[in-house]
Amino acid sequence: MTTNLLNFDLQGLVAYCESLGEKRFRATQLFRWIHQRGASDFDQMTDLAKSLREKLKTQAVIEGLPVITQHESQDGTIKWLFDVGDGNAVESVFIPEDDRGTLCVSSQAGCAVGCRFCSTGHQGFSRNLTTGEILAQLWFAEHFLRKHLKTEERVITNVVMMGMGEPMQNYSALVPALRTMLDDHAYGLSRRRVTVSTSGVVPMMDRLSQDCAVALAVSLHAPNDALRDNLVPLNKKYPLDELMQACLRYLEFAPRDFITFEYCMLDGVNDQPEHAQQLIALIEKYGKGKPWCKLNLIPFNPFPASGLLRSSNAAVAAFAKALSDAGIVTTVRKTRGDDIDAACGQLAGDVKDRTRAAERMAKQRTIPLQPVR
Ligand code: SAH
Ligand code: SF4
């Protein structure tokens, strides 16, 4: 059987090399060739013994994902659609800024959580990506961009697991991928520059704090359980109190001294003054007088099937002001790449829904969310 070496973190590659009777430092050399140099051909690896290269050629490959399409936005954002086989495709987005380059990476083909406002959620779930498929997005994008921008320097300085899928529901593939992002022999990103975004899979938040405590973003979207149950169905399993407690536990191990809460602004649904007041009360209840989180307001990126609308700029500004006045650091996320459907929640790829979640959601859509106005 052929082994794709993109599936291994360094520890995994060491074990693989040992199974071939090779020493640990060979694995490190190989790892550097793959991730730092973007090599996919063993013959390039001139500092490896010819006999090892020949052996590798017979049983291993370094194989990325086929690119189906690439779109570049007017603002420099680039979106790739990758083929993951069997009629499924996933998306990654590169977002250049003055002082950084962020890659938004997918973790699953589809998503089983089924949030009301998310186009990935509306597609249902097909399958988890492997570690190799998660890393292939970064491996390809980094080395493509170096060529594209004609530089030898690192281009991607930050990774956010905010593409398609719920990373914490693909935990065993996620952790080796994160470790490779952090590894000095691979991408060498600091823990603060790698962010896992979760809709709130509480047990996995605890595990991540022990296994690979990178920066954490939690998709909150509602200040009370009734509304959150409706928007993020996972809330029925892990309600707000459990989620808040898990955030506080995570903070003890986190690379930053705050958790980021994402809050998608939906017109008339979660953007009213009383929601801001409830949110402030919720944060204060758990904060014990100390600042412990930041709020990132995301103006909703509409897609037809959602039946939801983006909050007005005035509502977003008023909401942000209420939070800021209460001493909560609040930012409004700039929409990037919306001309190429690369903005948050617009990543839809192409997913063969094996769970019929899309069908269930279509039924659920007939239950209107109660606008509070
Ligand atoms: N499953 C993870 C990560 C992927 S979604 C999570 O839910 O956190 C990344 C972010 O985009 C989440 O905060 C998500 O709530 C937000 N998002 C999803 N759909 C959106 C939309 N249509 N408009 C704006 N933000 C959206
Ligand atoms: Fe899944 Fe995140 Fe979309 Fe919810 S917002 S459906 S958890 S990808």
Side-chain angles (χ1 to χ4, degrees):
M1 212 186 73
T2 324
T3 306
N4 187 356
L5 301 186
L6 284 183
N7 273 307
F8 294 129
D9 59 8
L10 184 54
Q11 204 191 337
L13 199 57
V14 167
Y16 177 75
C17 285
E18 280 171 356
S19 76
L20 301 180
E22 295 291 334
K23 297 238 164 57
R24 187 185 179 92
F25 81 98
R26 291 287 176 214
T28 309
Q29 279 179 307
L30 197 48
F31 202 59
R32 293 172 70 110
W33 271 110
I34 298 170
H35 295 289
Q36 292 190 338
R37 312 275 295 266
S40 57
D41 180 354
F42 295 114
D43 282 332
Q44 274 175 280
M45 306 179 183
T46 41
D47 55 353
L48 294 187
K50 186 127 200 292
S51 58
L52 172 58
R53 283 187 265 150
E54 293 303 322
K55 201 174 349 174
L56 286 169
K57 276 200 256 178
T58 63
Q59 42 187 296
V61 288
I62 301 156
E63 196 168 59
L65 294 169
V67 177
I68 302 172
T69 56
Q70 170 178 318
H71 292 284
E72 191 162 353
S73 158
Q74 306 209 319
D75 66 15
T77 302
I78 305 179
K79 178 173 87 165
W80 294 278
L81 182 66
F82 293 101
D83 186 356
V84 294
D86 218 9
N88 293 309
V90 299
E91 292 179 321
S92 315
V93 181
F94 174 66
I95 306 146
E97 285 170 280
D98 292 343
D99 59 341
R100 70 179 88 173
T102 303
L103 189 71
C104 178
V105 170
S106 293
S107 57
Q108 299 180 312
C111 181
V113 177
C115 300
R116 287 286 288 263
F117 49 82
C118 171
S119 94
T120 306
H122 275 256
Q123 287 200 308
F125 176 69
S126 180
R127 70 168 174 86
N128 281 329
L129 299 188
T130 62
T131 298
E133 289 168 333
I134 296 172
L135 281 174
Q137 300 168 61
L138 174 58
W139 180 72
F140 171 82
E142 174 65 30
H143 297 290
F144 168 84
L145 289 165
R146 282 188 204 176
K147 279 192 216 102
H148 187 61
L149 303 171
K150 299 188 176 57
T151 174
E152 308 266 290
E153 306 269 295
R154 174 159 78 187
V155 180
I156 294 167
T157 60
N158 296 60
V159 171
V160 293
M161 296 301 304
M162 294 186 186
M164 297 165 66
E166 170 48 60
M168 299 289 215
Q169 289 188 338
N170 185 13
Y171 190 79
S172 60
L174 174 71
V175 169
L178 295 176
R179 288 188 175 143
T180 304
M181 293 170 194
L182 304 185
D183 201 306
D184 283 337
H185 297 296
Y187 301 92
L189 301 177
S190 75
R191 291 194 294 137
R192 314 167 150 248
R193 288 177 175 271
V194 176
T195 302
V196 168
S197 176
T198 181
S199 54
V201 188
V202 164
M204 296 302 148
M205 290 164 63
D206 286 322
R207 283 185 61 185
L208 191 68
S209 74
Q210 301 306 305
D211 293 339
C212 194
V214 295
L216 187 68
V218 172
S219 293
L220 197 58
H221 309 308
N224 63 63
D225 280 315
L227 186 55
R228 196 162 189 273
D229 281 352
N230 200 326
L231 293 173
V232 184
L234 195 67
N235 194 66
K236 293 182 198 135
K237 196 159 180 195
Y238 306 113
L240 277 173
D241 180 54
E242 283 184 41
L243 181 58
M244 294 292 119
Q245 303 282 3
C247 289
L248 294 178
R249 290 195 298 277
Y250 195 91
L251 263 185
E252 291 174 33
F253 303 94
R256 296 179 183 268
D257 57 4
F258 60 87
I259 301 281
T260 304
F261 288 125
E262 294 160 281
Y263 195 102
C264 177
M265 300 292 289
L266 301 163
D267 182 39
V269 172
N270 65 355
D271 66 346
Q272 298 295 297
E274 62 264 38
H275 297 122
Q277 292 314 316
Q278 287 173 20
L279 190 53
I280 293 163
L282 182 76
I283 289 167
E284 282 174 356
K285 177 175 166 197
Y286 292 91
K288 302 191 185 82
K290 279 193 298 210
W292 64 284
C293 61
K294 289 189 181 176
L295 250 292
N296 192 210
L297 306 180
I298 317 173
F300 171 58
N301 292 307
F303 57 100
S306 71
L308 298 162
L309 297 172
R310 176 186 289 196
S311 300
S312 67
N313 290 345
V316 175
F319 202 90
K321 182 171 187 307
L323 294 170
S324 301
D325 287 350
I328 300 165
V329 177
T330 306
T331 49
V332 178
R333 189 175 293 172
K334 269 189 288 179
T335 294
R336 297 288 303 262
D338 54 353
D339 54 335
I340 54 166
D341 277 356
C344 298
Q346 292 185 322
L347 304 187
D350 205 356
V351 169
K352 264 202 189 155
D353 181 13
R354 293 176 205 291
T355 57
R356 302 174 71 187
E359 211 174 285
R360 287 198 306 277
M361 293 213 39
K363 282 196 198 120
Q364 195 198 350
R365 277 202 293 278
T366 58
I367 312 166
L369 274 169
Q370 290 299 316
V372 280
R373 277 193 296 233

